Amino acid sequence: MIDRERMTGFVMDLMRTDSLSKEEGAVAQMLVATLRDMGAEVRVDDAGAAVGGSTGNVIARLPGTVASAPPLLLNSHMDTVPPGKGVKPVREDGRIRSDGTTILGGDDKSGVAVIVEVLRTLVDRDLPHGDVEVAFTICEEVGLLGAKHLDLSALRAREALVLDAPSPAELVIKAPSADRFEFVVHGLAAHAGMAPELGISAVRVAAEAIAAMPLGRIDAETTSNVIIVEGGTAVNVVPDRVVILGEVRSHDDAKLDHVMSTIRRELQDAASRAFVTANGTISRAWIEERCEREYTRMAVTDDAAVVSLVLAAAKDLNVPMRTVTIGGGSDANVFNAKGMAAPILGTGMREIHTVHEWLDLGDFYACADLVLRALTLRAA
């Protein structure tokens, strides 16, 4: 029932429309017009004002034809990562790819296009369905900000399906918590050639700490990563400031807290070993810290109604489907933390966040078929 050429053309139009985080206005206007044309009730919330963006979340409701069918929220995000301006999608050999100079934007415009096509098909073919609510969110790529500012109490749906993963043969039901942090290592500047012994190298303190940190794959549930984004001003000056950014993710909050504490301790220990004495005065390295829980882990149960619904749709279509655990975060983490069961379904996106990104059209169409079948089954 899905019009494959229509949804392919639409996703390519979305890809050509720039929508970096906090700059989703043009895509939002496009979606508002499209949703209203099909008879949906549409509004834009004030999330954009809250985060300093060009638009808020686009929220819509397609009234149901079956009053007894429970409403369902469908979600994808509108924003993309850089380099994401001037995207030129190329269609070839059953896929849409980037031209190699930018990302493609299949993350997550493929999800947006699937939702729009499913709604169009429900209307065009007069298919039975309950209320379908939609949230096209902003700023997912920079901290899930749109979802965090979305007022779920204003929606009727108590369950959601998030379209923001690679494979439509996998339904994500578990994802980790994540802490994001910034540490600033403060040392003491000195001339690197004439008086290095009077300085404290912030780079050395950072290097010693990073070398001792638990990084990468820590166990099956836990990962961490750090980068140095700033350090030093000139090669002839002992660097007095280094900025370290990083994250820790885990499906076990106790493990996450332990790794975070270890990272903090290694920095403090490295700083405590770095000091100089000049003219009877002791100067020491010190650490400045900012750390926050970016999102909370999600764990949707296998027997949740929305999980059973998607699995039933897959069975009805005779396509493979399994539930899986992933290591990334999405708007689904926020919805689940607010009490709304929300698994994640894949749309065919591949090699996301790179200039080699591409969209598998077979998976893209399969995702739309699954979502459409789930909605009609819910009405039955």
Side-chain angles (χ1 to χ4, degrees), residues 29-44 59-60:
Q29 291 177 9
M30 182 177 174
L31 292 171
V32 167
T34 300
L35 291 164
R36 284 180 175 156
D37 283 348
M38 68 178 76
E41 303 164 5
V42 188
R43 62 186 176 89
V44 178
I59 302 164

Side-chain angles (χ1 to χ4, degrees), residues 13 72 207 213:
D13 287 343
L72 184 67
M213 289 177 187

Side-chain angles (χ1 to χ4, degrees), residues 187-204 231-242:
L188 181 64
H191 194 290
M194 298 178 67
E197 64 277 1
L198 298 181
I200 301 173
S201 172
V203 168
R204 182 169 184 168
T233 57
V235 295
N236 61 350
V237 179
V238 175
D240 64 347
R241 187 173 185 272
V242 166

Side-chain angles (χ1 to χ4, degrees), residues 73 75 137-140 143-152 160 162 175-176 293-299 328-342 344:
L73 174 66
N75 159 256
T137 49
I138 61 171
C139 296
E140 191 268 359
L144 317 181
L145 300 182
K148 289 175 180 177
H149 286 87
L150 181 65
D151 182 8
L152 295 184
V162 175
R293 181 63 47 90
E294 187 174 24
Y295 50 84
T296 303
R297 68 188 181 91
M298 59 171 271
S330 72
D331 287 345
N333 287 72
V334 177
F335 298 152
N336 281 282
K338 292 181 177 182
M340 178 180 285
I344 311 165

Side-chain angles (χ1 to χ4, degrees), residues 1-11 14 31 34-35 38 62 74 76 109-125 127 132 134 136 163 364-373 375:
M1 296 186 193
I2 294 294
D3 187 330
R4 294 183 171 187
E5 288 305 309
R6 178 172 65 183
M7 70 183 290
T8 302
F10 188 69
V11 77
L14 287 171
L31 292 171
T34 300
L35 291 164
M38 68 178 76
L62 184 68
L74 300 178
S76 290
K109 289 175 179 177
S110 57
V112 172
V114 165
I115 292 171
V116 168
E117 179 58 31
V118 166
L119 297 186
R120 281 173 164 162
T121 303
L122 289 173
V123 172
D124 291 350
R125 295 183 175 271
L127 298 174
V132 183
V134 174
F136 292 134
L163 307 184
F364 180 51
Y365 305 143
C367 178
D369 289 337
L370 276 164
V371 176
L372 180 65
R373 185 58 58 94
L375 290 173

